[in-house]
Amino acid sequence: MKAVLPDSRIPRKWYNILPDLPEPLEPPLDPETDGPIEPEKLLRIFAAELVKQEMSNERYVEIPKKVRELYAKIGRPTPLFRATNLEKALDTPAKVYFKYEGATVTGSHKINTALAQAYYAKEEGIERLVTETGAGQWGTALSLAGALLGLKVRVYMARASYQQKPYRKTIMRLYGAEIYPSPSDRTEIGRKFLAENPNHPGGLGIAISEAIEDVLGDEKARYALGSVLNHVLMHQTVIGLEAKEQMKEFEEPDVIIGCVGGGSNFAGLAYPFVKDVLDGRADYEFIAVEPRAVPSMTRGVYKYDFGDSGGYTPKMKMHTLGHTYYVPPIHAGGLRYHGLAPTLSVLINHRIVKPVAYHQTEVFRAAELFARTEGIVPAPESAHAIKGAIDRALKAKEEGKEEVILFNLSGHGFLDLRGYEDHLDGKLEDYEPEHFPALEG
């Protein structure tokens, strides 16, 4: 069972949650003054239209025609499936649906904002985009976006994933991007971390620092971010806007689930549904799933912190483990981030979104069951959402409830087979650190 929309049903506007949040978002702070940062300072880092969108209070923002055309080219609208075989294997009365972002040509949801950011950069005469990537999905997406729109792209990839997922590098290079393991010897902050530990596994926080340092050395370059910031999450809402239309062919969901690193794929599916809850029109339950190795939602502190490890970014009010947290080398590279989107942090504080955390061994077992029943090999990041959906379906079985569960399968795992091989060979290791910089400072 699946629901597929025609190209003509690609959303024409993104949904911006800022005007609907239950409390105003705290402003980003200038690290030099600790006061609200002036937008002009952000213009040296980001394309001007993205800075405008970041602070916009427009509830809906028009998607440019060129971006909608590119969405159709890369596979939007994506299909929505019912996981009937999984339901049978679990012997649950629950109905489980999933939005499959792995159907895009780059294999994940990341292309939704990559195309938008590259489009605005091209329109403003920017020649080169620089970014970070964890598992490589975001770097892959931006590399293709750069190729389609005629921009040079440079990617700093967290070293652990650079080594675990070698074919991600190959795809990015095929799309014409430069790619370097992070920490690298190309930047001052990279050399600092390498001096402390020549085998440093890296992380998104360090890679962000390197990308920003790179951009600040080139007037024709700008930074592109794959998650966390408001404009990024807004671009991803095409997922949920499509899913709302597709679920009309079936039934209303009761529970909506997504994995979380910075928050982009969870927000992409959930925020259009969250709006209905905030408006008092619905009573959906939202579950956000993270790794126990990087538990920013379940064990982090809500405070101002840097978005990167080097302290180059503005400070943001968010759930954080501390920007100097040494992130363990789990296979879900896209979830290896110390902080959380500020908008999602607010929703967690107001108990609109419930966070849960799992070890990677139990997540990979859930992914294996999903692959054997539904045929899709999920990305390790997306497998966290699958684990959350399975647990919820089993709870419905215990309670005898015919619950409707919708989750975001944010990407496929065909280039994550090293992790699956380790899982099948019994070599996966669980990590649950006891100390976090944010709790000690």
Side-chain angles (χ1 to χ4, degrees):
M1 298 176 66
K2 67 179 178 180
V4 179
L5 298 174
D7 291 0
S8 60
R9 301 285 291 280
I10 291 173
R12 292 180 173 271
K13 295 181 179 180
W14 293 299
Y15 167 57
N16 176 21
I17 200 171
L18 284 186
D20 294 326
L21 284 176
E23 67 176 69
L25 205 61
E26 297 285 350
L29 301 183
D30 188 327
E32 294 180 1
T33 66
D34 263 349
I37 194 165
E38 295 295 329
E40 291 73 22
K41 284 196 171 184
L42 297 175
L43 295 175
R44 181 59 189 86
I45 301 174
F46 297 100
E49 178 61 26
L50 300 178
V51 175
K52 177 183 174 183
Q53 291 180 2
E54 182 68 17
M55 301 178 178
S56 172
N57 273 310
E58 289 185 62
R59 186 167 281 109
Y60 292 97
V61 175
E62 193 81 26
I63 302 176
K65 181 181 177 183
K66 176 64 174 179
V67 175
R68 286 190 282 111
E69 291 172 350
L70 289 169
Y71 278 172
K73 179 178 285 290
I74 57 86
R76 300 221 72 83
T78 54
L80 185 144
F81 294 91
R82 181 175 168 189
T84 51
N85 287 344
L86 178 65
E87 294 169 10
K88 291 174 185 175
L90 299 174
D91 189 27
T92 177
K95 297 176 182 178
V96 182
Y97 296 88
F98 63 95
K99 181 72 163 156
Y100 186 39
E101 291 297 293
T104 67
V105 296
T106 54
S108 87
H109 70 294
K110 293 292 189 177
I111 193 69
N112 300 326
T113 186
L115 290 171
Q117 293 188 51
Y119 167 80
Y120 291 123
K122 183 70 174 180
E123 287 291 293
E124 294 174 26
I126 294 162
E127 296 178 358
R128 188 167 67 93
L129 291 175
V130 188
T131 195
E132 78 295 328
T133 195
Q137 294 277 24
W138 166 240
T140 299
L142 192 68
S143 298
L144 176 59
L148 293 176
L149 286 156
L151 293 165
K152 296 177 182 178
V153 174
R154 180 174 292 166
V155 181
Y156 290 90
M157 184 174 184
R159 184 176 294 271
S161 293
Y162 186 92
Q163 295 167 344
Q164 291 167 349
K165 307 172 198 295
Y167 295 118
R168 279 279 166 217
K169 296 178 285 186
T170 304
I171 291 180
M172 287 183 251
R173 291 174 63 199
L174 277 173
Y175 287 151
E178 297 176 83
I179 177 167
Y180 301 99
S182 175
S184 76
D185 61 2
R186 297 182 57 84
T187 66
E188 183 178 337
I189 191 67
R191 290 188 290 271
K192 173 181 177 291
F193 280 102
L194 285 176
E196 294 171 359
N197 178 4
N199 297 311
H200 200 297
L204 284 168
I206 297 174
I208 291 170
S209 295
E210 292 207 84
I212 292 176
E213 183 180 327
D214 188 315
V215 164
L216 293 176
D218 180 359
E219 286 286 344
K220 290 291 187 178
R222 290 297 184 274
Y223 173 56
L225 182 64
S227 191
V228 180
L229 293 182
N230 306 332
H231 68 270
V232 182
L233 274 58
M234 181 185 75
H235 297 157
Q236 293 295 353
T237 58
V238 291
I239 302 169
L241 293 167
E242 289 177 7
K244 290 187 78 170
E245 292 298 309
Q246 290 165 314
M247 287 302 288
K248 289 177 182 177
E249 298 185 25
F250 301 110
E251 52 209 315
E252 280 286 297
D254 298 302
V255 185
I256 296 164
I257 301 172
C259 67
V260 173
S264 70
N265 95 86
F266 174 86
L269 176 65
Y271 278 11
F273 292 94
V274 169
K275 183 183 189 305
D276 291 340
V277 171
L278 295 173
D279 289 346
R281 297 200 306 266
D283 191 28
Y284 307 121
E285 187 175 346
F286 302 96
I287 299 175
V289 186
E290 68 182 359
R292 290 178 73 170
V294 200
S296 60
M297 295 186 294
T298 53
R299 296 182 63 187
V301 177
Y302 186 57
K303 63 185 288 188
Y304 271 104
D305 194 12
F306 292 103
D308 69 315
S309 299
Y312 292 164
T313 67
K315 294 179 181 177
M316 298 179 290
K317 191 76 173 288
M318 61 182 177
H319 285 267
T320 179
L321 300 170
H323 68 281
T324 59
Y325 175 53
Y326 182 92
V327 184
I330 58 172
H331 279 281
L335 307 186
R336 296 179 64 245
Y337 184 61
H338 67 273
L340 186 68
T343 55
L344 181 52
S345 296
V346 169
L347 295 175
I348 289 171
N349 291 345
H350 283 260
R351 295 187 170 87
I352 295 167
V353 174
K354 175 187 175 183
V356 297
Y358 295 115
H359 278 306
Q360 71 171 348
T361 50
E362 55 188 334
V363 165
F364 271 83
R365 286 195 295 270
E368 182 180 0
L369 174 62
F370 189 81
R372 292 186 180 188
T373 53
E374 296 299 326
I376 296 172
V377 177
E381 295 81 7
S382 311
H384 286 70
I386 292 171
K387 171 62 176 169
I390 287 174
D391 278 7
R392 188 63 186 226
L394 292 175
K395 181 182 178 184
K397 177 181 177 180
E398 290 175 8
E399 298 175 353
K401 292 173 61 176
E402 294 185 4
E403 199 164 56
V404 179
I405 300 166
L406 171 64
F407 73 90
N408 195 13
L409 207 173
S410 56
H412 69 63
F414 293 152
L415 295 176
D416 299 285
L417 297 183
R418 166 76 179 276
Y420 281 102
E421 186 174 37
D422 287 348
H423 160 67
L424 294 170
D425 292 342
K427 295 179 180 178
L428 276 188
E429 187 177 347
D430 283 333
Y431 302 88
E432 190 166 15
E434 291 301 320
H435 304 289
F436 304 103
L439 301 178
E440 298 166 357

